[in-house]
Amino acid sequence: MSHSAGLKLRSVFANLAPSVAALAVASIVGLLVIAMAGHSPFEAARIMLQAGFGDRHAVTESLLKAVPLLFTGLAVTVAFRAGIWNIGADGQFMIGALAATYLGVHIQWTSPGAAFVSMSLAAFLAGSVWSGIASALREWRHVSEVISTIMLNLIALQLVSFMVHGPLQEAAGTYPQSDRLPEMVRLARWIPGTRLHSGFFLGLFLCVGVWLLLFRTPPGFRIRAIGQNPEAARYAGMSVRRTAVTAMLLSGGLAGLGGYVEIAGVTYRLYENISPGYGFTAIAVALLGRLHPLAMIPAALLFGGLESATRALQRTMGISPVLAEIIQALVILIVVGFESRRVRRWLAKWTVFFRQP
Amino acid sequence: MNPPAVNPPVHNIHLHHIHKSFGSIQALRGVDLTLRTGEVHALLGQNGAGKSTLMKILYGLYQPDAGTIHIDGNPVVIESPARAIQLGLGFVQQHFSLVDSLTVAENFAIGALRQRIFHPARWQARIQHFIDERGMSIDAGTRVADLSVGEKQRVEILKALFRQARFLILDEPTSVLSPAEVQSLLAELDTLRQAGIGIVFISHKLPEVLDISDRISVLRDGRVVGTLPVSEADTATLTAMMLGDARPEGQMEKHIRVRPNPASDSSHTILVAESVSMRRETGGMALNDISFELHSGEILGVAGVDGSGQQELVEAVLGLRQPEHGRIHCPVGPAQIGCIPADRLRQGLIAAFSVAENLLLSHADSSELRTGPFFAPRRIARFAQKLIAEYHIVCRGPDQPVQELSGGNQQKLLIARAVHGEPLILVAVNPTWGLDVAAAAAVHDRLRMLKQKNRAVLLVSTDLDEIYALCDRFFVLYNGRIMGWASPETPIEVVGRWMMGICGTPADHTQNGRNG
């Protein structure tokens, strides 16, 4: 990944060319898969565009689907920038949702402000604790964070499952899910007639905040430095371990906050499948945004739209939503592939070839 | 299980007029060398004299720009290590090429297995037999990770012999060994010599060279200065050959001119190392009972060949590693200690970061470059531009990634960052590495300027000319110990001998400088 972005925003968008190219290739391959399955790729493309971005309702639904990806994408961005492969945003998201739900249904809230502050703080801290476990294992016991965060995802899933079957189960006791959150603690819907809630704007706000942190403040500079060359950072007098732990706590906290926003803005309940793999899609989002918090926004919106679009495909053409996952996987593989020097040289050669008169 | 194809017997290798350049640096300028089986041929020379380059050419890792290699009178082209192995050569490098997680026997199998089906038990028995035949006590079933450094080295040698090597190249084999291990290695080499193996022995350490070798070749500046039978060699001759006329008269006067002014009133002790001992990561002692005082307003030198413990000393002084024994007293905070590290791309710079960001690396917390908690990009750009101009860093501007800069300009950037802000202590490791003469002189001026401003400089350098030109007093590290203290008046021959581990120095020099 190129991190030469540095202090200038302009150079970042110049760096996005491989992402756009990767996306184009992934789309073509995705449509080819549809064609191979015996459907018309043109009809599919039309339906997807219509469902993803066709009208006001479609757009707000896509934005809504993008919200959890904004938070988990930021979480992945911060960790990856520090050179820490946090694959556990999914678990941190679930634990954040669990903590926020617990507060939301167990306390008689009297003001929405107090509920917002307490629940978001609890979700952030819970996510931090979850990533902090992996961080402590990494820094003091040399346990690979890739392994530990994946394991912690499974534990988080089981923990949520246990809670919604037991202590947190709805009073009715019918389904494995929590009670509905009272009106008071839900996030406000800002656009009448749509489900778009204030969590979307919180996500955008945090993207700007994390961008400022990473590219405009000393702590963020340290995070990027240890991610690029921990040895040089150490010789320059930075504490590599402290910075790594900070980055990981922030990463988990952001994912946890995403969990709060999801239950308080969309589902209003906690249940087992609260995350259909947001923490993993987040990796594709972060990589497509080339680990830049602002460039990540269009990537999150795009994957949000893709989510709506594939659902529409399933409804109208009977195409499996697995297709969305195929395209996500293709994007990751192709973005990573475009990073390789050989592919870049090859691309450069062909561009030159086309420029020849 | 057929043994690997038997190589025809080899009796001599002749390297003729070998030239090799890396960019503008001429590493080898017409080297002639003859190696014979059944003898130990030592290669001596300072850092950068061309020893390793020559051996890498012989082993097919580099291709010569010009020159030929003959084996038993037949011209050969060694285009790869695979070809070198086929020709009966074995190379034991300083960094072993063993797979830690595999057993000894499995390591033997890499590149030596001829049959399609691998039978682990039978293979291990065969390797064990091979090892036992040579009277060595290594269990072929042990994982390499569980071996000591000396044993790993023995495995490397055995591996080469197993591939029917007739010539063994050993690149500084004793630098990683304890004294007892060195003795047993030398004994083993003697056995190999009697078995008719030819051995190339690269070392900086004269006593062991004189102990084991049959013939000794000295390289200097990419040329063979001479080849002597051991009977005609002694430390004085060899040192003189290695150093050449390294110090012309004119420079001598300069040293006297920049001599210290010990009576400076404002000078005070700023850092004390008190019998510091540290372990190497691989086990042996890296530093052994090192004590010194660093004063403000002086440039204290640390001379010695690479790997004598400099790395560990620097990390201890910077507070990056705690010594196992002894202490470092330093009232100055880490923010006031600057550093020009030895390996600029590993320890000094972040290749993908821009020039400005790299300059920011050790000044990230400076309030002058911030407004509130945020960086002030324009002030940072101005700060970078100022240093770029002041230190003549050739680049497109503050935003250019450092990986696009030449090595010399990267080094200048590193120096700019370390010297800017005039830290109370500057630790400089080979600060002029990769710089041309003018740029190097500018760096030396900077260091003298720091000294005049009553700052303390610890100059760690493998370049004796640099030490002599800058330091008020210096000590020589050898195998993690202080061999002696010296000043620019100490004859360079004495210092050269210390660097190679020979004591026996005139007593009047050993204490020189301690009272400085």
Side-chain angles (χ1 to χ4, degrees):
Chain A
M1 246 134 281
S2 163
H3 299 264
S4 60
L7 300 165
K8 282 257 167 80
L9 187 56
R10 212 181 328 135
S11 57
V12 175
F13 287 98
N15 271 341
L16 283 181
S19 297
V20 175
L23 211 58
V25 176
S27 309
I28 292 168
V29 176
L31 290 174
L32 278 178
V33 172
I34 292 175
M36 272 157 44
H39 303 280
S40 156
F42 303 104
E43 179 64 9
R46 194 190 62 75
I47 290 172
M48 285 178 80
L49 282 174
Q50 172 65 33
F53 310 98
D55 53 36
R56 200 173 75 131
H57 178 74
V59 169
T60 53
E61 279 298 299
S62 295
L63 295 183
L64 197 71
K65 297 262 179 335
V67 175
L69 296 178
L70 283 178
F71 287 89
T72 49
L74 278 180
V76 171
T77 299
V78 170
F80 280 22
R81 278 281 179 181
I84 303 169
W85 309 109
N86 178 12
I87 316 294
D90 218 44
Q92 293 141 22
F93 177 92
M94 284 187 271
I95 291 294
L98 174 63
T101 308
Y102 192 87
L103 283 191
V105 298
H106 274 78
I107 293 177
Q108 291 298 315
W109 295 100
T110 49
S111 98
F116 171 77
V117 171
S118 317
M119 286 169 72
S120 57
L121 205 64
F124 189 97
L125 288 177
S128 291
V129 166
W130 216 245
S131 63
I133 296 171
S135 186
L137 286 171
R138 178 184 195 261
E139 304 305 326
W140 283 276
R141 304 303 310 160
H142 302 289
V143 177
S144 159
E145 71 277 15
V146 175
I147 309 293
S148 62
T149 50
I150 291 176
M151 297 299 179
L152 283 164
N153 282 341
L154 300 177
I155 298 174
L157 183 63
Q158 295 305 319
L159 197 59
V160 168
S161 174
F162 165 74
M163 292 302 276
V164 296
H165 278 97
L168 263 180
Q169 192 171 13
E170 58 179 349
T174 324
Y175 298 105
Q177 60 184 21
S178 74
D179 278 319
R180 267 171 84 86
L181 293 175
E183 289 284 345
M184 183 71 79
V185 307
R186 295 180 191 168
L187 290 168
R189 285 183 176 166
W190 280 19
I191 302 173
T194 70
R195 298 202 292 158
L196 193 66
H197 55 85
S198 52
F200 175 69
F201 302 97
L202 178 65
L204 290 185
F205 175 78
L206 281 176
C207 285
V208 177
V210 171
W211 173 72
L212 277 173
L213 172 81
L214 284 177
F215 293 101
R216 288 283 191 272
T217 69
F221 181 68
R222 282 196 284 271
I223 288 177
R224 290 189 297 126
I226 67 158
Q228 281 288 306
N229 186 348
E231 191 68 359
R234 197 168 74 98
Y235 266 81
M238 297 176 181
S239 167
V240 174
R241 182 178 283 173
R242 193 187 309 153
T243 309
V245 171
T246 309
M248 196 58 172
L249 292 181
L250 177 61
S251 173
L254 287 165
L257 203 54
Y260 156 69
V261 168
E262 188 69 0
I263 57 124
V266 183
T267 66
Y268 301 148
R269 296 178 190 274
L270 182 69
Y271 46 87
E272 276 175 317
N273 293 329
I274 188 74
S275 164
Y278 290 134
F280 300 107
T281 310
I283 297 171
V285 168
L287 290 179
L288 193 63
R290 300 182 65 85
L291 300 187
H292 194 285
L294 298 182
M296 198 202 73
I297 297 173
L301 299 183
L302 198 85
F303 274 103
L306 189 63
E307 184 73 30
S308 309
T310 44
R311 282 186 194 191
L313 273 191
Q314 189 186 18
R315 274 197 312 274
T316 54
M317 295 177 78
I319 296 173
S320 161
V322 169
L323 185 71
E325 286 172 36
I326 292 179
I327 293 181
Q328 282 168 14
L330 282 172
V331 167
I332 297 184
L333 288 177
I334 294 168
V335 171
V336 173
F338 273 45
E339 288 295 335
S340 104
R341 219 168 264 175
R342 189 177 296 177
V343 173
R344 286 195 163 196
R345 265 207 304 271
W346 183 82
L347 274 178
K349 204 168 74 185
W350 280 97
T351 359
V352 169
F353 176 78
F354 284 122
R355 268 193 217 126
Q356 305 272 308
Chain B
M1 301 241 168
N2 304 314
V6 176
N7 290 316
V10 175
H11 297 103
N12 66 64
I13 298 178
H14 184 59
L15 294 128
H16 184 64
H17 260 56
I18 304 286
H19 285 263
K20 179 73 184 175
S21 298
F22 298 99
S24 60
I25 298 160
Q26 276 192 288
L28 297 174
R29 316 164 186 234
V31 170
D32 288 289
L33 198 68
T34 304
L35 308 171
R36 300 185 195 127
T37 46
E39 74 172 22
V40 175
H41 194 131
L43 277 188
L44 283 174
Q46 287 187 286
N47 289 316
K51 306 178 298 271
S52 294
T53 309
L54 185 64
M55 288 305 112
K56 283 180 177 167
I57 285 176
L58 181 56
Y59 197 63
L61 289 162
Y62 295 154
Q63 294 308 308
D65 298 336
T68 52
I69 301 173
H70 289 81
I71 292 185
D72 286 342
N74 306 313
V76 290
V77 177
I78 306 177
E79 72 275 355
S80 67
R83 177 73 181 136
I85 291 168
Q86 210 183 356
L87 289 167
L89 292 163
F91 194 0
V92 179
Q93 305 203 38
Q94 278 169 282
H95 302 282
F96 301 137
S97 50
L98 297 172
V99 182
D100 273 350
S101 55
L102 298 182
T103 66
V104 172
E106 285 162 348
N107 267 283
F108 271 71
I110 298 169
L113 216 52
R114 289 289 176 277
Q115 64 276 21
R116 279 169 206 278
I117 298 166
F118 179 59
H119 194 302
R122 262 188 250 164
W123 179 263
Q124 188 171 321
R126 183 177 158 202
I127 300 300
Q128 191 66 61
H129 180 69
F130 178 83
I131 295 172
D132 294 343
E133 260 183 351
R134 275 150 195 83
M136 309 239 191
S137 56
I138 289 175
D139 177 5
T142 326
R143 278 183 352 134
V144 165
D146 298 330
L147 297 177
S148 74
V149 178
E151 287 171 324
K152 285 184 194 174
Q153 192 173 56
R154 226 165 292 157
V155 171
E156 283 274 34
I157 293 172
L158 285 165
K159 215 174 81 179
L161 295 176
F162 184 72
R163 293 170 177 177
Q164 308 273 304
R166 300 287 294 157
F167 273 94
L168 274 182
I169 306 164
L170 305 173
D171 192 358
E172 296 196 35
T174 58
S175 61
V176 290
L177 301 181
S178 69
E181 286 175 321
V182 170
Q183 283 317 310
S184 68
L185 173 71
L186 294 183
E188 277 156 27
L189 293 185
D190 189 43
T191 316
L192 290 176
R193 164 169 53 194
Q194 274 157 27
I197 305 283
I199 293 165
V200 181
F201 187 79
I202 301 178
S203 176
H204 288 293
K205 299 172 185 171
L206 286 186
E208 58 195 39
V209 164
L210 289 166
D211 185 11
I212 187 73
S213 309
D214 297 294
R215 288 188 302 145
I216 302 167
S217 291
V218 179
L219 269 84
R220 192 174 73 228
D221 294 335
R223 289 194 183 87
V224 173
V225 190
T227 301
L228 303 173
V230 74
S231 53
E232 290 171 25
D234 58 53
T235 54
T237 333
L238 292 174
T239 318
M241 285 167 78
M242 282 167 67
L243 296 174
D245 40 8
R247 205 163 41 129
E249 274 320 293
Q251 247 181 314
M252 186 76 192
E253 282 163 37
K254 197 171 79 190
H255 300 147
I256 293 164
R257 193 161 46 79
V258 299
R259 266 210 54 212
N261 189 0
S264 167
D265 294 334
S266 49
S267 175
H268 58 277
T269 305
I270 198 163
L271 182 136
V272 181
E274 210 178 80
S275 33
V276 171
S277 296
M278 284 173 99
R279 286 190 175 282
R280 227 183 268 282
E281 270 158 36
T282 48
M285 289 307 283
L287 285 183
N288 216 324
D289 199 23
I290 302 286
S291 299
F292 63 88
E293 289 186 358
L294 179 64
H295 307 288
S296 65
E298 78 162 345
I299 301 180
L300 173 63
V302 181
V305 297
D306 253 342
S308 300
Q310 292 98 330
Q311 174 75 21
E312 287 79 6
L313 181 66
V314 166
E315 297 211 345
V317 168
L318 292 174
L320 298 177
R321 262 182 70 185
Q322 290 303 313
E324 268 87 18
H325 301 285
R327 273 189 301 177
I328 296 216
H329 303 273
C330 180
V332 181
Q336 277 300 329
I337 305 180
C339 177
I340 304 170
D343 187 336
R344 60 180 162 243
L345 280 179
R346 218 168 59 81
Q347 300 157 339
L349 301 170
I350 297 182
F353 273 19
S354 69
V355 171
E357 285 175 305
N358 271 287
L359 287 171
L360 198 56
L361 211 52
S362 51
H363 300 282
D365 292 312
S366 155
S367 57
E368 286 165 35
L369 301 174
R370 276 185 290 143
T371 349
F374 298 112
F375 284 132
R378 241 179 275 155
R379 255 179 283 161
I380 288 173
R382 263 205 305 278
F383 161 75
Q385 240 131 20
K386 196 184 110 203
L387 289 182
I388 288 169
E390 202 176 316
Y391 289 82
H392 308 290
I393 302 166
V394 180
C395 62
R396 281 201 311 271
D399 290 329
Q400 189 174 12
V402 151
Q403 60 201 357
E404 294 174 8
L405 268 53
S406 73
N409 282 301
Q410 290 174 350
Q411 186 70 15
K412 286 188 217 166
L413 196 157
L414 205 51
I415 288 159
R417 189 179 79 203
V419 175
H420 174 79
E422 296 170 2
L424 290 176
I425 299 176
L426 176 69
V427 180
V429 188
N430 292 326
T432 55
W433 177 43
L435 296 183
D436 58 40
V437 181
V443 171
H444 287 178
D445 286 342
R446 297 267 174 206
L447 297 184
R448 290 197 191 96
M449 180 272 292
L450 284 178
K451 175 185 147 185
Q452 260 153 26
K453 295 197 171 171
N454 209 28
R455 305 296 199 243
V457 178
L458 187 70
L459 173 67
V460 181
S461 181
T462 51
D463 179 356
L464 270 185
D465 286 342
E466 185 165 76
I467 296 267
Y468 268 82
L470 288 172
C471 296
D472 310 306
R473 56 194 189 110
F474 62 94
F475 59 85
V476 178
L477 268 185
Y478 172 80
N479 255 354
R481 290 177 184 278
I482 294 184
M483 282 299 283
W485 284 83
S487 73
E489 281 92 76
T490 315
I492 200 162
E493 296 72 28
V494 174
V495 174
R497 277 204 290 273
W498 287 348
M499 285 171 68
M500 279 156 270
I502 303 153
C503 296
T505 48
D508 54 336
H509 288 300
T510 48
Q511 285 300 312
N512 201 340
R514 251 192 222 261
N515 44 9

